[in-house]
Amino acid sequence: YLESGAIAGLERAKDQIQRQSALEASRYPEGPEVIYGYLNKVETEAQNLRILLNGKRLSLPEEEIKERMRTNA
């Protein structure tokens, strides 16, 4: 971000750290880590739903919508 000034790279890095934390949290059978992992998965699903609905509203090609959802996962 500091080099390019693009906020997208910073957001992508944040999302990657969140996914890694959720993956580590899923290794615990109980505790607050389980809740964190669940909430992270729900947030990802909500984002994917927003991507899908906005893509349909903008009449984007199916492959482009799938690619955007893949980068969000």
Side-chain angles (χ1 to χ4, degrees):
Y1 169 76
L2 294 176
E3 294 172 5
S4 67
I7 195 80
L10 184 63
E11 289 178 344
R12 224 175 285 120
K14 177 195 70 87
D15 291 343
Q16 189 176 19
I17 290 170
Q18 278 185 323
R19 279 192 297 277
Q20 184 62 32
S21 295
L23 179 63
E24 291 174 15
S26 68
R27 296 183 179 137
Y28 293 93
E30 55 187 47
E33 295 87 356
V34 175
I35 296 170
Y36 175 75
Y38 173 76
L39 291 176
N40 192 300
K41 289 182 186 291
V42 168
E43 182 181 2
T44 300
E45 289 298 318
Q47 288 174 349
N48 281 338
L49 185 57
R50 265 186 252 123
I51 291 169
L52 176 65
L53 293 175
N54 283 329
K56 291 292 187 182
R57 183 176 56 86
L58 297 171
S59 301
L60 294 176
E62 184 178 331
E63 289 303 315
E64 187 174 342
I65 294 172
K66 286 181 181 179
E67 180 61 32
R68 289 180 185 208
M69 289 173 71
R70 264 187 238 111
T71 59
N72 184 45

